[in-house]
């Protein structure tokens, strides 16, 4: 096997995406802690927007983003744990393919660190992933999420490797891997059927089940059908 480690994103790669309704309820609960009843547009602004949109929403309701954001993160993390426990956010069936990977595994996610920890606990994955990073529950943690390379670099340092494969399902994953200088496998799950990639990944897969043979064929120096052209 040519890779010294394989590092995974979580949401949409290991676990199914969290239903939007679950996240919206959690964000409304965070607003309620501050006595605010937000519009759906404002709620979605803290889910899909960046820092500029977050600040605009907080300004609209006279909230301090630095005070609001940790509560928003805590509520969403708690809701995602409950969704995992209730079966609303299960593991993908092909995660069992990881048992056939003979190298250290890690997690680097844009999800909350607390949500990543919940996934490892709920699905009994902690021994499989000795290194796991999610974003800290602060505005600065949100700002430095992928495609910033910080967490992926830290994970590779913790694993003690230079040559790793990163497995993700978004442009930020492809870009983060590029910035670190490691290969990346894009997993085109059903929710990414029409997703447009801004840059070419090293491999494009439709299942994690392809990983063991992909890595084995790469190690043997064989041509791999999953390798992206160009």
């Amino acid at each position: 096997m040519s890779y010294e480690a394989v590092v995974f994103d979580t949401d949409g790669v290991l676990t199914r995406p969290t239903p939007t309704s679950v996240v919206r309820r959690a964000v409304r609960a965070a607003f309620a802690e501050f006595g605010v009843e937000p519009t759906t547009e404002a709620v979605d602004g803290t889910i899909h927007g960046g820092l500029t949109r977050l600040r605009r929403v907080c300004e609209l309701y006279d909230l301090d983003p630095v005070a609001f954001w940790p509560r928003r993160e805590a509520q969403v993390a708690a809701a995602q744990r409950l969704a995992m426990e209730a079966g609303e956010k299960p593991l993908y069936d092909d995660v069992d393919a990881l048992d056939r990977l003979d190298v250290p595994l890690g997690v680097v996610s844009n999800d909350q660190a607390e949500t990543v920890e919940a996934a490892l606990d709920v699905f009994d994955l902690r021994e499989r992933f000795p290194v796991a990073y999610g974003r800290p529950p602060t505005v600065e943690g949100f700002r430095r999420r992928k495609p910033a390379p910080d967490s992926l670099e830290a994970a590779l340092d913790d694993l003690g490797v230079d040559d790793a494969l990163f497995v993700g399902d978004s442009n930020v994953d492809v870009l983060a891997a590029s910035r670190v200088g490691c290969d990346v496998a894009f997993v085109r799950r059903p929710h990414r059927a029409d997703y447009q990639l801004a840059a070419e990944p090293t491999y494009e897969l439709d299942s994690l089940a392809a990983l063991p043979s992909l890595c084995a064929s790469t190690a043997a120096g064989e041509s791999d059908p999953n390798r992206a052209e160009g």
Side-chain angles (χ1 to χ4, degrees), residues 37-69:
E37 294 184 15
T39 64
T40 299
E41 182 181 8
V43 168
D44 287 351
T46 77
I47 297 173
H48 305 297
L51 279 178
T52 298
R53 197 169 178 191
L54 168 66
R55 291 186 177 114
R56 287 175 180 167
V57 169
C58 287
E59 183 179 356
L60 178 64
Y61 294 108
D62 196 26
L63 297 175
D64 177 2
V66 174
F68 171 74
W69 189 252

Side-chain angles (χ1 to χ4, degrees), residues 128-201:
R128 295 295 290 138
F129 295 99
V131 172
Y133 280 86
R135 70 178 188 231
T138 62
V139 170
E140 178 64 11
F142 182 58
R143 186 180 74 82
R144 298 194 69 81
R145 69 199 189 283
K146 293 175 297 183
D150 306 49
S151 293
L152 184 51
E153 288 176 339
L156 298 186
D157 285 345
D158 288 351
L159 289 166
V161 302
D162 295 313
D163 187 13
L165 177 68
F166 186 51
V167 184
D169 74 327
S170 70
N171 280 312
V172 299
D173 296 322
V174 175
L175 183 53
S178 175
R179 289 177 175 178
V180 170
C182 67
D183 285 357
V184 59
F186 173 79
V187 186
R188 193 172 289 280
R189 299 290 196 188
H191 70 282
R192 294 302 201 198
D194 300 318
Y195 190 78
Q196 297 296 310
L197 285 166
E200 200 73 42

